[in-house]
Amino acid sequence: MTRASDARPLIAHVVFRFDVGGLENGVVNLINHMPRDAYRHAVISLTDITDFRKRIVRDDVVFIALEKRPGHALAIYPRLFRLFRKLRPAVVHSRNLAALEVAIPAWAAGVPVRVHGEHGRDVGDLDGSSKKYQWLRRFYRPFVTHYIALSRDLEHYLISRVGVPSGRVAQIYNGVDARRFRPVRPRQAIAGCPFVDPACWLIGTVGRMQTVKDQTTLVRAFIRVLEAFPDLKSRLRLVMIGDGPLLGDARILLEQASVAELAWLPGQRDDIPEILRGLDCFVLPSLAEGVSNTILEAMASGLPVIATDVGGNSELLEVGRSGELVSAADVEAMAQQIAAYAMDPQRARAAGVAGRAAVERLFSLEAMSENYQGLYDRLLGLRVGKAGVEALV
């Protein structure tokens, strides 16, 4: 669809790589659920775009992969400048530090509004204390019109450590599709999973198996539960969905403990809603998070959640009601919470019910979409004044 025939303003969403992940899933949800007549959308990846793009159901979205080599994007600044001049987006919305640098060519190309979203901690800066990353964000700060923080924790970081004025930061939670992710009772069988006995109690996690997600701590906690509570060995089972560097490490730990047959690690899967409906409890062992999509999906699926007390996790879970929090990398504490739920299924089910209710009340996709659209509208209105959005298109 050409600009001449379409007066809707264009939002250019810029990410480092468009592949399976929480950040990218947020982009998918936003595009799919924002009213079609509000904005056009383009997804620009600094590196590549995978089949993950198929999750976007709209047929009017442009996908552009720049195939950037490792290192700073300075070498492709001219290309980005030309691209922004050609597309003439009303808004360029970058996400996380790896894509923040596009704010400069967007500014140079005359893009009226440059929005930057902070979705989670950097792998090399789990507590936000890195002076280097703070300095980098300060360097690009003059070129960013407005910031979006997915959690209050990240909002505080931008204001207190990066020095962004509070009036230039909006805090917007992720939303979750409560129709796609929904509870069933009794739990349903997971396709391909060997644990079909209804007497089994399945704990599980979903996510890229990378260092920051720390799935090996969950493996160690699972092994610890079986050691400390041998009666659970007949029914406690572990399901880990995802691919990445830690997958091999997790399998080795299970084999060394002689419990590999009690765990199922199939790698990456695309049927996450169905998998969650086949679990009894969800565990997120991450070392850092922004606002976890997988926690929200698990809550929407009616699962009790055990998560590490990092990032915005404490903003999603009501401890003692919808889930439990433990310190990051604390194997013993995680093992104790897993055992507590496994030995009291009624309490676990009650936590799942509370989590589902919280999603319906606070974390709907409709609320997220409205908040983003409202921010875009406001920023464009402030930028063009009485001329209106039409002046930008």
Side-chain angles (χ1 to χ4, degrees):
M1 188 174 289
T2 64
R3 291 185 55 81
S5 63
D6 195 334
R8 294 173 301 165
L10 175 66
I11 310 292
H13 305 271
V14 184
V15 298
F16 180 74
R17 186 169 189 259
F18 199 62
D19 196 4
V20 177
L23 180 157
E24 296 80 4
N25 194 57
V27 177
V28 170
N29 284 335
L30 178 60
I31 293 174
N32 283 343
H33 290 86
M34 186 174 287
R36 193 182 183 97
D37 61 357
Y39 291 96
R40 292 177 296 134
H41 299 272
V43 175
I44 301 173
S45 169
L46 297 183
T47 53
D48 58 338
I49 292 175
T50 71
D51 285 345
F52 188 74
R53 63 182 286 178
K54 295 178 181 177
R55 297 196 183 184
I56 293 180
V57 298
R58 289 176 51 163
D59 59 2
D60 61 344
V61 178
V62 176
F63 296 89
I64 300 169
L66 299 179
E67 299 179 348
K68 181 181 80 71
R69 295 178 179 178
H72 196 276
L74 184 62
I76 63 170
Y77 270 14
R79 187 178 174 190
L80 282 165
F81 175 83
R82 292 191 298 269
L83 178 62
F84 291 142
R85 289 298 291 265
K86 178 182 178 180
L87 295 176
R88 294 183 61 207
V91 177
V92 164
H93 185 162
S94 57
R95 288 166 168 84
N96 273 359
L97 185 60
L100 175 56
E101 54 195 317
V102 305
I104 291 180
W107 165 81
V111 176
V113 174
R114 287 89 53 195
V115 173
H116 180 68
E118 289 288 346
H119 287 242
R121 296 293 187 197
D122 305 291
V123 176
D125 185 25
L126 296 178
D127 62 356
S129 63
S130 169
K131 299 298 183 183
K132 173 186 175 181
Y133 290 135
Q134 291 172 24
W135 180 88
L136 282 171
R137 287 178 168 88
R138 291 190 195 109
F139 176 80
Y140 293 108
R141 188 177 60 198
F143 304 98
V144 176
T145 308
H146 209 83
Y147 292 82
I148 297 176
L150 263 67
S151 68
R152 292 194 296 270
D153 173 63
L154 290 171
E155 179 184 29
H156 177 74
Y157 170 79
L158 286 171
I159 295 171
S160 65
R161 298 199 181 188
V162 181
V164 180
S166 59
R168 287 174 58 196
V169 182
Q171 193 271 302
I172 301 176
Y173 286 119
N174 278 341
V176 61
D177 189 340
R179 291 183 295 271
R180 184 168 178 245
F181 294 91
R182 63 186 187 278
V184 294
R185 291 289 180 267
R187 70 157 192 265
Q188 67 181 31
I190 302 173
C193 180
F195 310 131
V196 296
D197 186 346
C200 288
W201 206 79
L202 275 60
I203 61 168
T205 195
V206 174
R208 291 172 294 182
M209 298 196 68
Q210 299 177 336
T211 301
V212 70
K213 299 301 182 182
D214 197 26
Q215 287 94 343
T216 51
T217 285
L218 173 54
V219 173
R220 291 186 173 93
F222 175 70
I223 294 169
R224 177 61 184 148
V225 172
L226 299 179
E227 293 172 345
F229 304 90
D231 289 347
L232 289 177
K233 192 168 185 177
S234 64
R235 60 187 185 90
L236 187 65
R237 300 293 182 264
L238 174 64
V239 173
M240 302 185 75
I241 306 299
D243 201 355
L246 293 187
L247 179 57
D249 295 344
R251 286 173 172 163
I252 289 172
L253 286 171
L254 290 163
E255 290 170 0
Q256 289 176 340
S258 300
V259 294
E261 74 281 1
L262 305 184
W264 183 56
L265 290 73
Q268 184 175 316
R269 295 273 295 239
D270 294 325
D271 55 340
I272 303 305
E274 291 76 19
I275 286 171
L276 290 177
R277 285 193 285 274
L279 299 178
D280 293 293
C281 178
F282 184 83
V283 185
L284 189 76
S286 301
L287 298 175
E289 285 289 344
V291 165
S292 169
N293 280 307
T294 53
I295 285 183
L296 290 175
E297 290 166 357
M299 291 169 63
S301 301
L303 295 177
V305 175
I306 300 168
T308 46
D309 190 5
V310 297
N313 290 353
S314 63
E315 300 171 37
L316 305 182
L317 294 176
E318 186 177 352
V319 174
R321 181 169 170 78
S322 60
E324 301 294 343
L325 294 172
V326 299
S327 298
D330 191 335
V331 172
E332 187 64 30
M334 186 174 292
Q336 291 295 326
Q337 294 296 348
I338 291 171
Y341 273 145
M343 292 188 294
D344 192 350
Q346 185 173 352
R347 173 176 166 239
R349 284 192 293 270
V353 170
R356 172 71 188 189
V359 163
E360 293 174 344
R361 186 174 70 253
L362 302 171
F363 304 110
S364 71
L365 280 180
E366 291 74 19
M368 180 193 75
S369 176
E370 289 173 4
N371 286 333
Y372 273 92
Q373 184 179 342
L375 179 64
Y376 293 148
D377 291 348
R378 180 171 68 81
L379 293 175
L380 288 171
L382 288 173
R383 181 66 177 81
V384 301
K386 293 182 180 179
V389 171
E390 290 78 5
L392 298 173
V393 297

